[in-house]
Amino acid sequence: MAEIIQKDGTWVFDGDALRLTPGRDKNVSPLRRELGELIVPLGALAGLSFEQGKKTGRLRLRLRDGADPLLQATGGRLTEPHDPYQLLVESDRYGVAEYLVDEVRQALLLDEVPTDPVDAYLLPGPSVPLSASAGDGTAGFDGERVRLEWNWKTEESKASAGARSIGVAEIEAVEWQPAVGLENGCLRFRLRHAPTKAPAKYDPNAVELWGFRKDPLMALVAAAVQARLPHPAAGPREAVPAQREEDSAGGDDHDALLRRLRELGELRRDGVLTDEEFAMAKQAVLRRL
């Protein structure tokens, strides 16, 4: 096993997976703290590198394209303080960092892990339910529906329509853009059969971001939704036969909701969900049953 412990975080490699735990230092970003510990399977890795500096160095982990819904949703636009796949290393731990790199590289070679893109997510995405507030609104996600609520800074024409509730089945794509310079960012949900070119300021399916400290937290909501959408590289989905009116009157597919309940139970047993998070998500599913 190879391990490096720093103020910025702890990385541990056991031969099968790399465990990334954010540090408790005050300089660790809110996004990394909220995201919590990540377990990256060996098959999701494309490489690990170490860059030395005069005072600090940096470990950089590369994942195979399409392996992580967070990277998919953000398009690689997470900057250094918020990127969970980078670790600052103090100069007295350079040897340990290089040893970790060697161990990961050797495991990738021995297991003959390919570096080509994947067509299914190999990481689960952030735990749900979760909520983030930034810019002109609050975005929440319980695993089934996105809820957008507005604040006093929201454009009147958008706020007048009230809060939005969007089912995952309605969402075609997720877009997360950070604010850059004078350009505002956004978290936008593009809906099937409802294309729009409206700026995020006026789009009722988007939260406008202005470049403040909490903006990156919206990337967690984007990633959680992205993890439940069809993988972009998986090809077109097969058409679902039309249901009879009496079969569809109940709304969501009964079997799919039961599978979701089983999945939530497994996440609680594995310690991914707390009892409170499990209860909230379970109630959301039961309401739809």
Side-chain angles (χ1 to χ4, degrees), residues 136 155 157-158 175 177 184-191 194-208:
D136 68 352
E155 173 67 27
S157 61
K158 184 163 78 171
E175 174 189 343
Q177 293 276 357
N184 292 336
C186 72
L187 168 63
R188 189 195 305 270
F189 300 96
R190 298 194 178 276
L191 306 188
T196 179
K197 294 183 178 180
K201 182 177 182 179
Y202 304 102
D203 185 355
N205 300 311
V207 176
E208 187 178 38

Side-chain angles (χ1 to χ4, degrees), residues 13 17 39 47 57 69-70 89 98 101 117 158 167 182 215 219 226 266 271:
F13 180 62
I39 300 177
L70 175 62
V89 179
E98 290 170 345
V101 170
K158 184 163 78 171
L182 298 177
D215 279 15
Q226 184 72 55
E266 292 171 357

Side-chain angles (χ1 to χ4, degrees), residues 13 49 60 71 120 139 153 170 178 180 208 227 247 254 261 274:
F13 180 62
S49 62
R60 295 180 186 272
L71 295 182
K153 296 170 282 189
E170 304 173 58
V180 179
E208 187 178 38
D247 291 338
H254 187 268
L261 283 174
T274 65

